[in-house]
Amino acid sequence: MADISSASNKRWLTIIGIGEDGPDGLGDEAKRLIVTAPVVFGGRRHHALVAPIAIGECLTWESPFDRSIAAIVARRGSPVVVLASGDPFLYGVGATLSRHVNADEMHTIPAPSSFSLAASRLGWPLQDATTISLHGRPIDLIRPHLHNGRRIIALTSDADTPRQLADLLSASGFGQSELCVLETLGGTREQFRRCKADHFDLADIDPLNVCAIDVVAAGGARTLAFSPGLDDTLFEHDGQITKQEIRAVTLSALAPRHGELLWDIGAGSGSIGIEWMLCDPSLRAIAVEQSEERAQRIARNAAAFGVPGLAVVEGCAPAALEHLATPDVIFVGGGGSEAGVLNAAIGALRNGGRIVANAVTLEMEAKLIATQAELGGTLTRIEISRAAPIGGMTGWRPAMPVTQWRWTKN
């Protein structure tokens, strides 16, 4: 049986969630730990809240934040209290500290999160709402969640974020959505105000706020479907794009899995990397594109689709691949027939990783056929036809066929 007292003694770091009601909202244990702590770390607002009871040294977060983390870790084995807003492990400092301190060295006393407080004020079942943090992050991250009837609760960065969200909603066809700004939740100055996104008229918003959105989509709103193979018209492109139907088949072949990194070589409009990242928030992608104009277009598309974290590398493969993080999956599209590109991709792929390459030219097709003969894998021929006018009637107009090679590195 484990020694409980010994385990307790190992817990030198205490993380305490605190709300805007300060010590009044804390339990006896949390207040006792703050009173007896020789050192308390936290933000200026946190220190102001506990000023009536904190006796030890109060250290404010430094910039860069890593300095404070190092100062906390340097005190390993001695009692340290860290103050956090609400739930420390929900977009909070607890998540950062857990990368440096083992769980059995920490004792955490959480408070209700801003999400919980907002849901309770609005009467929204939290399990049915979408929760997202825009604190210190691009507001474009909200775009994939904009679906008619969806309810979203978003953490914000400052007093300007609500208006920025209203502008984004209005510009994307969601101007009739109800936007609720909840300020200083749990404190004596708590208030919440509502308005339509396209009639945003709220002033003097407290920087400490949360936004809740009851999404209403107008006709033609930019709604990003859950299925792969998004409409080509949603992308900004110059014709260099993996077409919708081929893209859907390609995403299926790439088979995204949690936490994987994709290289999209010859990215064109960035459509493959963008849809890869839309599959799951844990997925990452690097788009490699030799054209400066197209590289800039990829970045704009990534923001417009709510995946601004897509990394864009401007350069010509294979040289542009040399110092990139090791990929789990590689897609080879444009430029795959150039000398050394396919071999460099195969060499860079980790063991167990997957590669998918599409060919529309005879040169690239010949290369894929030869590579499949040497390494194995699967070759698939994809042919798409679309109905189009023929004189006064309608007939099938075939698109260029695509040869696709799929292979797993063993």
Side-chain angles (χ1 to χ4, degrees):
M1 180 180 293
D3 185 337
I4 296 176
S5 62
S6 174
S8 178
N9 290 336
K10 287 179 62 178
R11 298 183 186 276
W12 57 273
L13 176 60
T14 300
I15 309 174
I16 298 175
I18 188 167
E20 283 301 290
D21 49 1
D24 291 343
L26 297 176
D28 291 341
E29 181 191 17
K31 286 188 280 191
R32 176 182 60 79
L33 288 166
I34 292 172
V35 169
T36 59
V39 60
V40 178
F41 286 83
R44 289 186 177 85
R45 183 171 58 85
H46 301 135
H47 288 312
L49 289 169
V50 301
I53 63 171
I55 298 173
E57 182 181 10
C58 292
L59 298 178
T60 303
W61 298 127
E62 295 184 57
S63 181
F65 191 63
D66 288 347
R67 293 179 182 174
S68 292
I69 299 299
I72 291 170
V73 173
R75 290 171 167 79
R76 177 177 260 113
S78 300
V80 175
V81 165
V82 170
L83 301 176
S85 297
D87 184 344
F89 280 88
L90 189 60
Y91 298 111
V93 69
T96 303
L97 285 168
S98 67
R99 295 194 287 268
H100 303 272
V101 180
N102 293 329
D104 60 4
E105 297 179 80
M106 294 189 286
H107 173 47
T108 303
I109 305 175
S113 70
S114 295
F115 292 134
S116 295
L117 292 173
S120 67
R121 303 300 191 266
L122 296 164
W124 291 2
L126 189 55
Q127 72 272 15
D128 296 332
T130 296
T131 57
I132 184 171
S133 176
L134 303 177
H135 181 73
R137 303 178 180 192
I139 64 168
D140 288 317
L141 291 170
I142 204 166
R143 293 181 185 273
H145 304 290
L146 297 178
H147 285 247
N148 190 59
R150 178 170 258 178
R151 287 173 165 176
I152 302 171
I153 303 175
L155 305 183
T156 65
S157 291
D158 51 37
D160 295 329
T161 307
R163 178 172 291 281
Q164 293 170 3
L165 282 172
D167 291 343
L168 185 153
L169 291 166
S170 300
S172 304
F174 300 94
Q176 286 299 298
S177 301
E178 185 174 70
L179 182 62
C180 182
V181 182
L182 303 99
E183 303 164 72
T184 61
L185 283 168
T188 56
R189 298 179 295 109
E190 177 181 312
Q191 67 171 338
F192 60 94
R193 296 176 282 170
R194 306 172 189 265
C195 64
K196 297 293 185 183
D198 57 4
H199 286 80
F200 188 88
D201 58 357
L202 306 183
D204 301 320
I205 297 173
D206 192 283
L208 188 65
N209 68 79
V210 176
C211 285
I213 306 167
D214 205 340
V215 180
V216 177
R222 188 183 170 86
T223 302
L224 303 180
F226 295 129
S227 59
L230 296 173
D231 196 306
D232 293 346
T233 60
L234 291 171
F235 294 87
E236 180 187 347
H237 66 89
D238 59 1
Q240 190 72 19
I241 182 173
T242 302
K243 298 298 191 292
Q244 180 178 0
E245 298 87 353
I246 302 299
R247 196 180 330 118
V249 173
T250 299
L251 263 293
S252 175
L254 289 169
R257 300 171 188 172
H258 177 84
E260 289 185 325
L261 171 64
L262 170 77
W263 282 4
D264 180 1
I265 302 174
S269 66
S271 62
I272 292 292
I274 286 168
E275 290 215 39
W276 166 275
M277 291 184 67
L278 284 172
C279 291
D280 189 81
S282 71
L283 295 172
R284 299 165 294 138
I286 300 173
V288 180
E289 174 54 53
Q290 63 178 336
S291 164
E292 178 183 1
E293 182 180 356
R294 286 175 179 163
Q296 294 173 354
R297 188 179 292 122
I298 291 169
R300 292 196 297 272
N301 276 330
F305 280 84
V307 288
L310 173 66
V312 182
V313 173
E314 184 185 332
C316 188
L321 310 177
E322 290 181 1
H323 302 295
L324 303 184
T326 301
D328 302 289
V329 185
I330 297 176
F331 172 66
V332 181
S337 59
E338 297 295 327
V341 172
L342 196 57
N343 285 340
I346 292 169
L349 192 65
R350 68 166 178 80
N351 287 335
R354 307 180 300 284
I355 189 167
V356 175
N358 287 356
V360 295
T361 66
L362 293 176
E363 290 79 6
M364 181 61 174
E365 182 180 69
K367 190 176 289 289
L368 294 186
I369 292 172
T371 304
Q372 191 270 344
E374 178 186 355
L375 299 178
T378 302
L379 281 174
T380 304
R381 180 85 157 177
I382 309 167
E383 299 187 67
I384 302 292
S385 296
R386 299 182 180 87
I390 300 179
M393 305 181 76
T394 305
W396 293 108
R397 190 176 299 279
M400 292 182 67
V402 174
T403 299
Q404 185 177 90
W405 176 58
R406 290 185 286 171
W407 177 70
T408 300
K409 186 174 184 178
N410 295 315

